[in-house]
Amino acid sequence: MLKVASKATRQQTKLHNSRLILKNVYARGPISRADISRLTNLTATTVSNIIAEQISEGLVEEVGSVSIERGKPPTLISIIDNARLLIALDLSRDDFTGAVMNLRGEILAEQSEPIYDHSTRNCEENDPLTTVYHLIDSLLSETATNLLGIGIGAPGIIDIHSGIVRHASNLGWNDLMLCELLLERYGLPTYIVNDNQAVLLAEHIFGNYEETPDLIVIRVGRGVGAGIMFNGQLVHGHGSGSGEIGHVVVDESGELCRCGNVGCLETVISRPAIVKRAQEIARNYPESRLNEVAGSPESVNIDSVIQAINLGDPHLTPLLQDLGDHLGVAIANLIGALGTPRILLCGSVAQIGQPLLDIIEVEVQKRTLNARINKPKIDVIQSKPNVVLLGAAASLLSNELGLF
């Protein structure tokens, strides 16, 4: 049966026009009303009326005029960066981190709360949801005015449309209606994205990749995951599981993964897996540069592993080769299936840098026809510590104000 598109109501049209104008002021301001009209194809009257409303709401302001050869100088409009504040949370780190941020993603206040291994948690005080409440309560004490809402970046499989954490193994969450719980408790609009998608949003919107609409970010640290973007839009996939490459089995005789499977990619190339293997190398080869750098096998961490690799420790060559091979296969599969020309690697393990990239590029070229015809650009990026907070903020600003 043919479906006929319904006509937009006057209120829907007004909301669309208001968001379109605010988006242009945000991205291009200070800007004149005439330039806004030209860029949006809206009438001068419509632009003037909506700008007047946004000024009365305290969202934008007039910031002077620009000189022109003839006629009255046009008054410029700019967004007020602190017109609305928002709370952003990063639940992917060893400690939960939250911040009060303005419309430009600038941090005005920041707090952290320790979390605990859910398998040993035996009281409500140590529950990660209680930790989220404590963190938000603390941030609200910093500001309780002009709040736009709450944005969250969290690990696991996230249904962004319903705000449900379908599965986050390291937090012990299954089908947790997180956004609904926070909305009921705080009365604030709340949005959640997977932490890897948050990194992708942050790099695309606040980073150096605004002009890159087709992009994959792969994060290799405590866990392994990918964020995927096509034509400037996040790809969520059926069941919101897009990008969960860390839980694809690569070694059926491997170690038990925290997700319950055996031999997932995460058990091979994540930071804990690399450090565990490197500690064993340090024990077996006391003369290694790794032991020299770390001081003892027990003191080996990802930083000492990277330092020893850069010093050319031959005992770490098999570890580096395996890491590059497995990551190269994962990237090759993504490129082969999606054809994405730009791949960004981030996270603590990715900071090995060029020695790792060299192995990955060989593996990708060997395994992917696409890569031999149109060589993809694979880069390691140094993400900011607050990158997930920025991505969570971007999700909130997009949903509530239509800025992106």
Side-chain angles (χ1 to χ4, degrees), residues 136-149:
I136 296 176
D137 291 343
S138 179
L139 291 167
L140 284 173
S141 69
E142 301 285 344
T143 179
T145 60
N146 295 328
L147 283 170
L148 182 67

Side-chain angles (χ1 to χ4, degrees), residues 304-374:
S304 55
V305 171
I306 293 172
Q307 188 176 349
I309 287 173
N310 290 332
L311 290 172
D313 189 339
H315 301 294
L316 290 176
T317 299
L319 180 154
L320 178 61
Q321 187 67 48
D322 286 350
L323 171 59
D325 286 347
H326 279 101
L327 194 47
V329 170
I331 293 172
N333 288 335
L334 286 171
I335 292 172
L338 304 174
T340 307
R342 197 70 186 266
I343 313 290
L344 305 180
L345 303 179
C346 65
S348 54
V349 174
Q351 299 314 307
I352 292 172
Q354 197 60 49
L356 178 61
L357 270 181
D358 291 341
I359 299 170
I360 289 172
E361 288 175 350
V362 169
E363 198 67 24
V364 169
Q365 289 287 314
K366 181 173 69 177
R367 290 180 176 272
T368 314
L369 177 61
N370 286 1
R372 293 199 295 270
I373 297 172
N374 299 300

Side-chain angles (χ1 to χ4, degrees), residues 89-111:
L89 303 182
D90 177 0
L91 309 186
S92 69
R93 298 168 67 170
D94 294 334
D95 289 350
F96 284 174
T97 302
V100 178
M101 308 175 83
N102 69 10
L103 297 179
R104 294 290 180 186
E106 297 169 337
I107 293 178
L108 306 180
E110 189 171 2
Q111 299 282 346

Side-chain angles (χ1 to χ4, degrees), residues 194 196-197 200 215-219 225-229 234 242-243:
N194 171 269
N196 300 305
Q197 293 178 331
L200 177 55
L215 185 66
I216 294 176
V217 170
I218 298 175
R219 196 164 170 232
I228 303 168
M229 176 176 284
L234 286 178
S242 174

